Amino acid sequence: MADHHILLLGPPGAGKGTQAKKLCEEYDLDHVSTGDALRANKDMETEYGTPRSFMEAGELVPDEVVNEVLETALENADGYVLDGYPRNLDQVEFLDDATDLDYVFFLDVGRETLVERLTGRRVDPETGENYHVKFDMPEDEEVRERLVQRDDDEEDVVRERLEVYEENTEPVIEHYREGGDLIEVDGEGAPEDVFERLTDAIEDDD
Ligand code: ADP
Ligand code: ADP
């Protein structure tokens, strides 16, 4: 099977992480998530300060820092699903020089659903696995009890992140749309249904 290079675009809470994980299992790909990579290096000292200060405020981490994180992650991946990058037009240019993409998906989800998904998201600190208070709680009581909320999933930061998305990342979506590369997928409904829409687009093309 070809090593796909898949990009998942969409607002915070659209389900990129959830779908990336499923796609990686289905097609044996690596998950490249700048959000996960930054969370694992939150207190890394850079000339701009630590990633934490930007992330907790819901702002973008400076390009110089994120680009390096991305480059390292891509070096170690053959086939991949990329999620969380690019978030502005300069990052689009950087990505364009770094790799070729086979599929650029946009997960389309309405604002109310986004807020509900983000504020209800919970993380297992032991595994990094994402859950949701309403849509996806773990069966294991021990896991249920240790779930935490990401600092940036609290409602005021969520609103800031959605604004940062509109200002910086919507132009990215437009860029791929104008280039004719964007595959728009309805991101509402059950995770399995969204996944089927994605794999249909991939399989139709193989
Ligand atoms: P993103 O990576 O785009 O920010 P996530 O994949 O982390 O989004 O999903 C955000 C939250 O919404 C998580 O708590 C996840 O469990 C939940 N979620 C993801 N996809 C769906 C879906 N199709 N229906 C309901 N909840 C979902
Ligand atoms: P979500 O998909 O829920 O918005 P992510 O996990 O992708 O969240 O990102 C969390 C935070 O990490 C962002 O709010 C931002 O501060 C930082 N971040 C992640 N990717 C990038 C990027 N490509 N450029 C700048 N900051 C980023």
Side-chain angles (χ1 to χ4, degrees), residues 10-17 33-39 51-63 65-67 69-70 82-88 91 118 121 130 150 152-153 157 161-162 164-165 169:
K16 301 180 297 297
S33 157
T34 48
D36 286 350
L38 288 167
R39 269 186 292 282
R52 178 190 293 277
S53 49
F54 298 96
M55 296 170 83
E56 286 182 356
E59 287 162 11
L60 296 185
V61 174
D63 288 351
V65 177
V66 185
N67 290 350
V69 164
L70 175 86
L82 173 59
D83 130 43
Y85 187 105
R87 269 175 146 94
N88 62 34
Q91 293 184 8
L118 287 167
R121 174 160 59 189
N130 283 324
R150 268 168 53 174
D152 62 348
D153 279 342
V157 188
R161 285 162 64 205
L162 290 172
V164 167
Y165 168 81
T169 314

Side-chain angles (χ1 to χ4, degrees), residues 1-6 20-31 77-81 195:
M1 190 185 287
D3 271 337
H4 296 307
H5 291 183
I6 299 174
K21 188 164 171 267
K22 287 172 168 292
L23 289 168
C24 286
E25 279 163 15
E26 178 82 12
Y27 298 108
D28 193 20
L29 303 168
D30 290 325
H31 184 192
D78 288 326
Y80 59 80
V81 180
F195 182 61

Side-chain angles (χ1 to χ4, degrees), residues 51 63 67 78-79 118 129 131 133 173 192 196-197 201:
D63 288 351
N67 290 350
D78 288 326
L118 287 167
E129 194 81 26
Y131 294 95
V133 288
I173 313 292
E192 296 69 34
E196 203 175 309
R197 294 174 199 137

Side-chain angles (χ1 to χ4, degrees), residues 174-191:
E174 263 326 294
H175 165 85
Y176 287 110
R177 187 179 282 131
E178 279 166 15
D181 294 323
L182 199 69
I183 308 170
E184 302 198 39
V185 168
D186 179 2
E188 304 258 1

Side-chain angles (χ1 to χ4, degrees), residues 153-164:
D153 279 342
E154 284 170 33
E155 192 155 347
D156 50 337
V157 188
V158 161
R159 298 210 178 268
E160 171 66 21
R161 285 162 64 205
L162 290 172
E163 272 172 36
V164 167

